[in-house]
Amino acid sequence: MPLDPQFPSDDDHLVARSPGDPAASAQGPTADGPDTVETLRERSLRQAAERGDAPAALELAHLLREAGRHLESWHWAQLAADAGNPTAAGTLACWRWVESRDPALEPQLRAGADHSHSARAGLADLLRVTGRVEEARSVLERGAVRGEVASWLPLGNIYREELDDVVAAEAAYRAGIEGGDIHSHHNLGVLLLGAGDVEGAIEHFSIAAAGGDELAARVLREVLYEG
C-alpha cells in the first residue's frame, strides 16, 4: 500500500509533484474571463513581487507551482532567493532535490532547514536515502519540536518503514492530523489497514480523499471494492 510523498506542504503552500509534470498543465486566467479569487490573489502578489517584495514573490511562486506553472514558479522563487530570503533559498533547494535527487544539494538543504519546512523534509529524505536514518529522524524530530506540522508525516514514515515502530508512527501521523495535515490521514489509514482495522482505515482514507488527496481516494475505492 503506497504512502504519500515525503514532502508535505512548505509553509502551507508547497505541493511536491513528480519531476516531469508539464509546466503549463494548468490554464492561467483568460484575458476576457471573469476574475476569480485566485486570479485576483495572483494579480496582487505579482504586483507586490514586481515592486521587490520577496515574501510576495515566494508566495506567488508557490501559487504558480500549485497551478502546474512550474517555469514561472521557479522564476519568482529565484528572485526571492536572490533578494536574500532564506525561506525561498530553502524552498528552491527542496525543489531541486525533488527533481534531481542530487546528494550535492545537502549543504543547501542544511542551510535552509530551519527556514523552510520543505527544505527540512528534503534534507531528511536525502539523509534517509544515503543511509543516515538516525540523523534523518533527528532532523525531523527537531522540526516537530519547533512546531513544524510538515515534519510529522515523513517522521511517521521513518518510524514505520525504517524503524518498524508502528506505535511511534501512529502517534506521528495523529500529530500531523491534529496540525491540519490532510495527507497524514492517508498514511494513518495505511497503517490501520495493515493492522486489520478496516473501519478505521476507511474513515481516514475518506477524510483525506475529501480533502483532495487523490491517492487516498484511489485506495479508498480499492478497499471498498474489495470489501
Side-chain angles (χ1 to χ4, degrees):
M1 188 69 63
L3 294 178
D4 272 322
Q6 296 287 335
F7 302 97
S9 298
D10 175 51
D11 302 327
D12 298 326
H13 295 294
L14 175 62
V15 177
R17 295 181 173 85
S18 300
D21 279 357
S25 61
Q27 296 295 321
T30 58
D32 56 353
D35 285 333
T36 65
V37 172
E38 286 302 296
T39 59
L40 290 172
R41 180 182 171 216
E42 179 183 336
R43 185 180 304 158
S44 175
L45 289 172
R46 190 179 295 274
Q47 290 171 349
E50 289 173 347
R51 293 194 299 268
D53 185 330
L58 179 57
E59 188 170 353
L60 176 60
H62 286 306
L63 180 68
L64 294 169
R65 187 174 177 86
E66 289 169 2
R69 295 155 64 186
H70 286 196
L71 290 178
E72 290 181 82
S73 72
W74 278 90
H75 168 74
W76 291 107
Q78 187 65 62
L79 282 181
D82 290 345
N85 186 293
T87 303
T91 298
L92 281 171
C94 179
W95 291 359
R96 292 185 177 110
W97 166 250
V98 169
E99 294 197 0
S100 70
R101 312 297 286 178
D102 183 359
L105 289 165
E106 182 173 338
Q108 297 173 47
L109 291 168
R110 285 190 182 277
D114 284 342
H115 303 284
S116 163
H117 299 178
S118 63
R120 183 180 302 281
L123 173 60
D125 188 50
L126 185 154
L127 293 169
R128 182 182 178 182
V129 300
T130 54
R132 292 171 283 173
V133 174
E134 286 298 330
E135 188 178 359
R137 180 178 69 169
S138 177
V139 165
L140 292 170
E141 287 177 344
R142 173 177 168 80
V145 168
R146 288 164 58 94
E148 298 174 6
V149 174
S151 291
W152 285 115
L153 186 146
L155 181 58
N157 291 348
I158 285 179
Y159 286 144
R160 180 176 183 268
E161 299 173 350
E162 302 287 353
L163 304 176
D164 196 27
D165 188 340
V166 295
V167 174
E170 180 174 348
Y173 295 146
R174 290 192 183 278
I177 289 168
E178 289 178 6
D181 178 17
I182 197 70
H183 300 299
S184 289
H185 280 286
H186 168 270
N187 287 34
L188 178 57
V190 171
L191 188 151
L192 294 175
L193 190 62
D197 184 358
V198 177
E199 184 176 340
I202 289 175
E203 176 186 355
H204 287 283
F205 288 143
S206 298
I207 294 171
D213 189 321
E214 295 180 1
L215 180 57
R218 189 185 76 201
V219 175
L220 176 63
R221 288 193 296 270
E222 293 173 355
V223 172
L224 293 174
Y225 177 78
E226 292 172 359

